[in-house]
Amino acid sequence: AVLSPTALEEMGRCPLAYYFKKILGLSPPDDLGRDPSVWLNPLEAGSLLHEVFKQLVERLIERGDPVSFARHEAELLEILDYPIARYRELEPPPDQAALIRQSEEFRLAARLFLKEEETHTEDRQPYRVEMGFGMSQEGSDSSEPVRIYLSESESLRLRGRIDRIDREGDGAFVLW
């Protein structure tokens, strides 16, 4: 079996839940009720924000631009506008109040992200985002999992994606 870091984490957190989900293929039933005051569910909202943050960090890496709240706030909010509009077409909000409320929550989350990034990157710079390992990537035909040896006779085969790699001032890398 080829495992991902997330699967290992799930297995460590609750082996029984891992067994039900990954081995038996069972999942809890979908919640059939939807809160009429909420536009996007937490998974959709998280995906939207992840997309926005990734795009900003990719732009900063491409330009070699250090993170600055003052310089990048307007750019981040501009990036945010497009996914909000796209999600609005894919999943129309139940009403204008829900759209406005959740859009403001996204703007607040984006500002908090940028402020934290500015503090976090004082001594390091973003280097790469969404870096896959043990899987096919652009320009590569290899899809062999990475093998981590636990002993001479035991190993784990892993594949997955590193959310982000930062480079510290001394050249060391930090994986997220």
Side-chain angles (χ1 to χ4, degrees):
V2 178
L3 300 171
S4 69
T6 304
L8 288 173
E9 186 178 28
E10 289 173 359
M11 190 185 308
R13 188 177 320 115
C14 183
L16 185 58
Y18 177 86
Y19 175 75
F20 286 149
K21 182 178 179 183
K22 299 293 185 182
I23 306 300
L24 297 180
L26 302 175
S27 61
D30 293 333
D31 182 16
L32 300 177
R34 186 164 182 139
D35 184 347
S37 67
V38 175
W39 171 33
L40 297 178
N41 68 42
L43 182 61
E44 294 164 328
S47 293
L48 183 148
L49 288 171
H50 180 83
E51 176 184 331
V52 169
F53 301 157
K54 178 180 179 249
Q55 188 174 348
L56 177 71
V57 173
E58 285 175 335
R59 286 183 182 186
L60 297 177
I61 290 169
E62 188 176 300
R63 295 191 307 243
D65 202 1
V67 179
S68 165
F69 186 86
R71 286 195 338 264
H72 299 119
E73 179 187 17
E75 180 179 6
L76 178 59
L77 295 177
E78 181 182 312
I79 292 169
L80 178 62
D81 287 339
Y82 176 73
I84 287 176
R86 194 177 78 248
Y87 273 76
R88 186 178 180 186
E89 286 194 20
L90 293 171
E91 180 72 37
D95 59 35
Q96 192 65 17
L99 171 66
I100 291 169
R101 184 178 49 258
Q102 203 156 24
S103 295
E104 284 307 311
E105 289 173 5
F106 291 146
R107 285 177 176 77
L108 175 61
R111 287 183 180 102
L112 289 171
F113 168 81
L114 190 57
K115 197 64 171 165
E116 284 297 312
E117 278 298 296
E118 182 179 54
T119 302
H120 164 78
T121 58
E122 288 174 351
D123 58 346
R124 62 178 63 140
Q125 283 299 112
Y127 181 72
R128 294 279 189 275
V129 290
E130 299 291 325
M131 185 84 173
F133 61 91
M135 54 182 27
S136 294
Q137 297 183 41
E138 251 181 72
S140 170
D141 293 332
S142 173
S143 61
E144 275 300 306
V146 174
R147 188 174 294 272
I148 306 293
Y149 289 93
L150 305 174
S151 68
E152 286 187 29
S153 61
E154 296 178 316
S155 64
L156 295 174
R157 294 171 0 124
L158 301 173
R159 74 169 42 117
R161 193 169 298 283
I162 299 169
D163 286 333
R164 182 161 141 191
I165 303 172
D166 289 349
R167 190 169 214 161
E168 295 189 330
D170 65 1
F173 292 101
V174 178
L175 307 180
W176 295 83

